[in-house]
Amino acid sequence: MLAAMPSAPASRPSGSEPPDFGPGDRCPGALRLHMADDGALARIRLPGGLLSSRQAADLADIAEELGDGNLDLTSRGNVQLRGLAADCGPELADRLRAAALLPSDTHERVRNVVASPLSGLDGHGYADTAAWARALDRALCANPDAAALSGRFLFALDDGRGDVAALDADVTIVAAPGGAAELRTGAGGPRLAVSAADA
């Protein structure tokens, strides 16, 4: 349904325009707002679903002050703000930057990283994927070529329990016993054994 909605891009600093992949990639973002029946919609990427309590409070304030007051969680662990004014893009972007939720204007829609949500919390799994998610996010934002990825491209970091590996992401890393990991590309793609240090 979102793919059919017209986009309403927010203002960006000069030279920071992310690539346009045409009608096949109309995923909303923090800088590319989409119009819905209840107003503009923004999707904030939270790689690995990670955010601090301060960032959660900042998001709640932004939703109250700029939107309908709700925070919607997406299937990829991101947050959507709804009921936004069509012209709120610049203020929204400034507030997200101040909350450290928008580390790169050019890469904001490609920071699609899901991770095992209970990793490191319940004693199951072979690795704590939170560190992997942070490292991958930094690497994505630091790589100019990564900005050319589609807003639908998905990375999955599975701690070995198989919860996010089942999503058939474009790139999946699955932790294995003994500090090893398996790298998978695409649904049914090749699988490579890698060390945790390489992952």
Side-chain angles (χ1 to χ4, degrees):
M1 184 170 96
L2 289 176
M5 294 180 192
S7 62
S11 297
R12 296 176 189 87
S14 177
S16 67
E17 186 80 24
D20 183 1
F21 291 92
D25 183 18
R26 294 289 184 203
C27 294
L31 301 177
R32 178 194 271 179
L33 307 184
H34 279 242
M35 294 308 298
D37 291 341
D38 59 348
L41 176 151
R43 184 173 297 157
I44 316 306
R45 267 56 177 194
L46 303 175
L50 302 172
L51 74 164
S52 68
S53 57
R54 177 70 256 164
Q55 289 172 321
D58 288 341
L59 275 175
D61 289 344
I62 292 169
E64 285 286 340
E65 296 164 22
L66 300 182
D68 65 5
N70 296 310
L71 297 171
D72 297 337
L73 186 63
T74 73
S75 62
R76 293 182 169 198
N78 297 315
V79 169
Q80 286 186 166
L81 305 176
R82 301 189 68 103
L84 300 165
D87 62 353
C88 80
E91 181 180 358
L92 173 63
D94 287 344
R95 293 186 65 171
L96 291 173
R97 286 186 198 101
L101 290 167
L102 186 56
S104 171
D105 286 13
T106 54
H107 292 69
E108 64 96 11
R109 290 190 327 117
V110 303
R111 299 169 64 234
N112 292 308
V113 181
V114 296
S116 298
L118 295 177
S119 184
L121 299 175
D122 65 358
H124 298 289
Y126 299 115
D128 182 350
T129 57
W132 291 1
R134 290 185 184 97
L136 177 55
D137 187 34
R138 286 191 300 271
L140 283 171
C141 290
N143 185 333
D145 293 335
L149 291 172
S150 163
R152 295 173 182 245
F153 196 95
L154 179 63
F155 296 90
L157 306 174
D158 193 297
D159 67 2
R161 71 184 76 205
D163 52 1
V164 297
L167 297 174
D168 289 327
D170 297 284
V171 174
T172 302
I173 298 176
V174 182
E182 183 179 82
L183 174 66
R184 304 175 185 174
T185 56
R191 298 180 179 197
L192 304 170
V194 295
S195 72
D198 294 331

